[in-house]
Amino acid sequence: MPYRAPVTDYEFLFRHVIGFDQVAGTERFAEASEDMVAAILTEAGKMSEEVMSPLQRPGDLEPARLENGIVRTSPGFADGWNAIAEGGWIGMSGNPEYGGMGLPMTVATSVNEMMSAACLSLQLAPLMSQGQIEAMEHHASDAIKDLYLPKLMSGEWSGTMNLTEPQAGSDVGALSSKAVPNGDGTFSVTGQKIYISWGDNDFAKNICHLVLARLPDGVPGTKGISLFVVPRNLPDDRGDAGVANSLKVVSLEHKMGLHGSPTCVMQFDGATGWLVGKEHGGMAAMFTMMNNARLGVGGQGVGVAEGAYQQALTYALERKQGKSAGGSIADHADVRRMLLSMKADVFAARAILLSCAVAIDMQTATADADWAARAAFLTPIAKAFGTDTGIAVADTGVQVHGGMGFIEETGAAQYYRDVRVTAIYEGTNGIQAMDLVARKMMDGGDAAARLLDEIEDHAEHARATLPELAESVWEATETLREATEWLVDQKDMNARFAGAVPYLRAFARVLGGHYHLVAALADPDGPREKLARFYINALLPEHAGLLAQSQNGAGDLYALNLEELAE
Ligand SMILES: Cc1cc2nc3c(=O)[nH]c(=O)nc-3n(C[C@H](O)[C@H](O)[C@H](O)COP(=O)(O)OP(=O)(O)OC[C@H]3O[C@@H](n4cnc5c(N)ncnc54)[C@H](O)[C@@H]3O)c2cc1C
């Protein structure tokens, strides 16, 4: 089914829900007027619909393959990459000095979401470059920036991110790749990296790998890690891709989905690299890239959810079974429940995602510590809830199709297979939740409390117009506040970690209730209010069970020992 870019939904969110006027009101992003944003979203939507969406099935049916050490990409992907590059979508939030568009992250995130909905496996390629661009903008030397950034932003070269090793997955600090100084300012990088997305392709003239490795004097753990840019081809005197570097793609993974994206095992054998950031400061530099990518991956989840919802709705409107008022399965109560849940959760996840992007933009524009704390707090929620929603909505999409959902031709199953990994890469959703209840609460819960205060203030304001909905959101926020205080009081971190995942989901549920309420106020008696009513009455109550679970502590989890677990 052809994908239809939800540009009017973004416009509604920008105008009424996420407070984008604050971003447009800053000097930094003063050019991001409503008209300008609408024009950009329309153009990106058109490219997603017309160029990327037709590549979704070919990417699945004819996966990328390795031929004599070179990755051959799926049919049409090279043209797709060129269209993304020519539209300026790779460097859209990059510094204009190097050829970027300098757009707010809120706009870039919306564009990324549309591209993900249209063809997730191809969209992962520009997403990798974008993360690399941001890491270099913040941490690289001027010489590296001058050479790499214009080429990465124009799409002439592409970027990757090399963290994972067989023994170092979530535990990045366990990595064993080494970097040895060559004495001329360059380094010799050696090691094996696994699961490297877009580790090679046949459309960019050079592939720039950002690689985490340890210098000879690097201490064990994350504190001893440094970051290097290691290009597939060494830049020649003119800065063009020159002779081959000492690295290769060993093999491609056979995956459950995302077949169009080559996931590579990379071998670096004394490859020449250049330091990005400070020696042993690799994790700080990589975090810039990872935070960007976490938001991007959250957007992947939301995008796939949108695509899966559109496909399920179209099918439900055409499929006739049993006696229903309108003649199609869409009129059966249970199918309505599925469709409404999908639509309401797409809205909630998108509002959370874009609110996180607004906080990042405000942090960039104002350097205000509260905005920085807000951005940091919302990032794990946007990543985990966005991707969990992608998986849940794609799963429900299969169910709406009945047997046809299990048959590959409809494409419903592909959404599910493709999006499943988004809860795993860029830090599993379990790791995101632990980040939320540990690092993001090192302030004693201040960032959380400020957010909850705002939600309650808004609910108070909404009482006059929508008393029942406002009361439900207010009460849910109070329950969440109590659970947050309980978590902050736990000195045993394992007690927090045991409830981290349900807590993160409950936080997202309450945030979703808030954004639906804001939308309802902007559309009295209209479809937004009706959707908000469904979300707040039917989905928001989930928070209570989740919060009870989040305060159960770790005792019960360890009461059964490992032998008993295996019995
Ligand atoms: C298709 C694909 C593309 C990828 N692309 C890239 C890429 O481009 N670059 C790159 O560097 N990596 C990439 N990855 C790797 C990905 O980021 C890792 O798979 C992920 O970080 C998890 O690491 P792991 O697979 O080793 O799982 P593990 O770390 O072994 O985790 C297994 C389980 O244990 C849990 N767990 C682990 N540690 C803890 C802990 N301390 N506390 C609680 N629970 C814990 C996890 O949440 C998970 O549920 C990709 C992976 C895939 C599948």
Side-chain angles (χ1 to χ4, degrees), residues 128 161-164 168-171 194-197 255 258 263 421 424-428 430-431 434:
M128 292 289 103
M161 172 164 164
N162 289 245
L163 289 81
T164 310
S170 301
D171 187 6
I194 60 169
Y195 302 144
I196 304 309
S197 296
K255 309 193 294 290
L258 212 65
T263 306
V421 72
I424 296 170
Y425 60 30
E426 277 318 313
T428 64
I431 299 286
M434 289 166 64

Side-chain angles (χ1 to χ4, degrees), residues 122-407:
L122 176 58
Q123 186 269 346
L124 188 53
L127 189 66
M128 292 289 103
S129 287
Q130 287 170 5
Q132 182 162 131
I133 288 165
E134 202 183 352
M136 282 190 179
E137 280 184 354
H138 282 91
H139 303 283
S141 66
D142 286 344
I144 289 180
K145 285 187 202 168
D146 291 344
L147 174 59
Y148 286 85
L149 286 178
K151 290 181 161 58
L152 285 167
M153 290 199 203
S154 70
E156 186 183 339
W157 293 2
S158 66
T160 73
M161 172 164 164
N162 289 245
L163 289 81
T164 310
E165 299 179 8
Q167 78 295 350
S170 301
D171 187 6
V172 180
L175 65 79
S176 63
S177 289
K178 291 188 170 30
V180 179
N182 290 328
D184 59 357
T186 67
F187 295 81
S188 229
V189 178
T190 301
Q192 189 173 84
K193 296 285 180 180
I194 60 169
Y195 302 144
I196 304 309
S197 296
W198 286 101
D200 191 33
N201 66 62
D202 53 5
F203 45 69
K205 289 194 182 128
N206 205 357
I207 321 286
C208 310
H209 302 286
L210 272 188
V211 183
L212 282 182
R214 210 178 296 279
L215 286 164
D217 60 344
V219 295
T222 50
K223 293 202 172 103
I225 295 175
S226 306
L227 182 64
F228 302 87
V229 58
V230 186
R232 181 186 66 186
N233 294 84
L234 295 168
D236 63 18
D237 293 345
R238 290 178 314 210
D240 294 330
V243 296
N245 204 348
S246 305
L247 61 94
K248 64 178 182 206
V249 179
V250 177
S251 60
L252 299 190
E253 302 294 355
H254 299 281
K255 309 193 294 290
M256 167 180 175
L258 212 65
H259 293 148
S261 163
T263 306
C264 304
V265 175
M266 303 293 308
Q267 183 67 42
F268 298 86
D269 289 316
T272 303
W274 285 262
L275 187 68
V276 174
K278 297 194 177 83
E279 288 190 3
H280 317 306
M283 279 315 284
M286 208 66 188
F287 259 116
T288 308
M289 185 162 175
M290 287 197 303
N291 278 334
N292 175 311
R294 281 177 180 174
L295 189 71
V297 172
Q300 290 189 324
V302 180
V304 173
E306 173 70 41
Y309 169 68
Q310 289 186 16
Q311 157 126 12
L313 179 63
T314 304
Y315 183 83
L317 292 171
E318 285 166 5
R319 174 73 175 160
K320 294 184 182 16
Q321 280 296 283
K323 292 195 179 72
S324 62
S328 78
I329 59 167
D331 276 308
H332 293 306
D334 186 54
V335 178
R336 276 292 169 100
R337 175 192 62 78
M338 292 193 272
L339 294 172
L340 264 283
S341 303
M342 294 163 95
K343 189 172 175 65
D345 264 352
V346 169
F347 176 86
R350 183 177 287 143
I352 292 170
L353 179 81
L354 295 183
S355 298
C356 179
V358 162
I360 293 171
D361 286 332
M362 292 306 291
Q363 174 191 357
T364 307
T366 65
D368 181 276
D370 282 354
W371 279 116
R374 172 71 51 90
F377 190 81
L378 285 178
T379 297
I381 303 178
K383 194 276 177 178
F385 188 66
T387 57
D388 282 347
T389 298
I391 294 166
V393 169
D395 183 33
T396 309
V398 171
Q399 194 69 14
V400 169
H401 283 76
M404 283 307 285
F406 203 68
I407 305 301

